[in-house]
Amino acid sequence: MAAKIIDGNAIAKEMRQEIGAEVERLNKEHGITPGLATVLVGERPASQMYVRMKQRACEKIGIRSFGYSLPEGSTQEEVEGLIRELSANPEIHGILVQLPLPRHLDEERVLGSVALEKDVDGFHPINIGRLAMKGREPLFVPCTPYGCMVLLEKAGAQIEGAEAVVLGRSNIVGLPVSMLLLHANATVTICHSRSKDLPSICRRADILVAAVGRPEMVKGDWVKPGAYVIDVGSNKVEDPTAEKGYRWVGDVAFDEVKEVAGAITPSPGGVGPMTITMLLKNTLTAAQRSLSG
Ligand code: GUN
């Protein structure tokens, strides 16, 4: 039987409406407009596009967006100085530093200079450290992993006790999503480029999260019948038959895997729209917390 398609666009739309309503309420009842500052260093076109998408999504639901672009050659002190200013600005409730940073900058120190209570991306070393430890709670959870968990929950996956396999160990997705699955009491296996016999490890999974950045790597015979498959991949591949000469595919061979899985996210249209939605949610949470702070 073909898998249930987990519609990230529809889930994101519904959540953004709820977040927008709450933003309006916060404004009406408390006179607070949630504010998100984006910090972009350098001119990578993909990063510029992501930041623009985040800013637009904020404005659409009533969150104020403050955009900061620094030149590629900015020094560590300049970047940290800006972040410290933003951390002290009461109109700004969330700060997002777009990654990757230029290579001469120390990413850990930059992320560590974000005020903990404004770390809406969840990448501050203390928030990541808390996520990695039992019984500790980060103030914020990174947006893409958070979105993966929401999709699993909305699709009705039983996470507790499930065998979860995560393909990929990146700081942005693979590692934090593994921690979230562990917190939700799954039995978690993390695979990476040195893992042996990926297909047989993946076949054990009741929940499979693919976040490796390899187009259509996960094939139909890698997947256990009935599994929940979350495809985080977004890869541009050449396609002479497409109007633009390319198309976007995930890390999962969707057409094959949908015949085996119980539920699956498409890519595009699965995890992608959830990442920004969770950023909006984290920014709203930061603004709500500022009321009691
Ligand atoms: N670069 C790729 N993904 C992300 C993300 O979720 N947040 C930030 N800040 N940068 C990214």
Side-chain angles (χ1 to χ4, degrees):
M1 206 177 75
K4 168 172 148 185
I5 308 299
I6 307 172
D7 184 347
N9 283 323
I11 294 170
K13 187 172 171 197
E14 192 187 326
M15 286 187 74
R16 287 187 199 198
Q17 276 164 359
E18 289 164 8
I19 297 165
E22 194 56 28
V23 166
E24 199 180 322
R25 194 188 68 80
L26 203 60
N27 199 312
K28 273 213 187 99
E29 291 181 12
H30 299 281
I32 288 185
T33 304
L36 174 73
T38 56
V39 177
L40 174 65
V41 187
E43 274 145 34
R44 286 169 61 102
S47 293
Q48 288 174 328
M49 184 187 76
Y50 290 136
V51 166
R52 265 199 311 273
M53 284 166 66
K54 291 170 187 180
Q55 292 171 335
R56 271 198 219 119
C58 280
E59 284 151 14
K60 217 167 153 188
I61 63 157
I63 293 178
R64 276 178 80 189
S65 118
F66 301 80
Y68 296 86
S69 285
L70 294 178
E72 176 82 24
S74 302
T75 64
Q76 186 78 28
E77 288 64 37
E78 284 165 342
V79 179
E80 287 185 31
L82 170 63
I83 293 172
R84 270 194 297 273
E85 263 175 45
L86 302 175
S87 291
N89 182 340
E91 290 193 326
I92 290 171
H93 302 94
I95 301 170
L96 175 138
V97 181
Q98 187 62 29
L99 301 176
L101 288 167
R103 293 179 61 152
H104 66 278
L105 295 172
D106 180 335
E107 181 187 288
E108 187 177 341
R109 270 181 49 207
V110 169
L111 295 175
S113 65
V114 174
L116 210 52
E117 68 278 12
K118 299 190 180 186
D119 178 35
V120 288
D121 236 356
F123 291 145
H124 189 293
I126 291 181
N127 275 327
I128 287 289
R130 287 181 182 166
L131 183 65
M133 295 178 89
K134 200 173 161 190
R136 309 271 164 90
E137 289 293 332
L139 285 173
F140 298 98
V141 168
C143 302
T144 303
Y146 190 3
C148 292
M149 297 303 287
V150 170
L151 289 176
L152 283 170
E153 279 154 23
K154 299 250 181 199
Q158 165 75 27
I159 302 177
E160 182 159 323
E163 281 256 10
V165 172
V166 178
L167 277 174
R169 55 176 163 179
S170 71
N171 287 338
I172 289 179
V173 187
L175 210 73
V177 83
S178 305
M179 298 302 164
L180 286 172
L181 287 161
L182 195 59
H183 274 271
N185 297 319
T187 303
V188 185
T189 304
I190 307 173
C191 305
H192 45 78
S193 51
R194 309 280 168 88
S195 299
K196 289 186 190 136
D197 197 3
L198 286 176
S200 75
I201 301 174
C202 290
R203 265 194 298 273
R204 294 208 307 254
D206 303 308
I207 294 171
L208 180 60
V209 179
V212 273
R214 300 262 299 271
E216 301 181 316
M217 184 171 94
V218 176
K219 308 295 182 201
D221 62 359
W222 291 34
V223 173
K224 179 172 171 176
Y228 284 76
V229 179
I230 304 292
D231 187 355
V232 184
S234 180
N235 310 288
K236 194 172 171 178
V237 294
E238 279 183 26
D239 181 357
T241 67
E243 200 177 305
K244 294 178 180 160
Y246 64 84
R247 66 194 162 91
W248 293 92
V249 298
D251 291 348
V252 174
F254 182 80
D255 289 340
E256 282 180 29
V257 173
K258 78 174 193 318
E259 300 303 323
V260 186
I264 182 170
T265 61
S267 177
V271 175
M274 294 302 289
T275 295
I276 295 184
T277 305
M278 303 328 290
L279 174 67
L280 302 174
K281 186 164 174 58
N282 280 347
T283 304
L284 169 65
T285 300
Q288 287 168 327
R289 285 183 188 149
S290 75
L291 278 177
S292 50

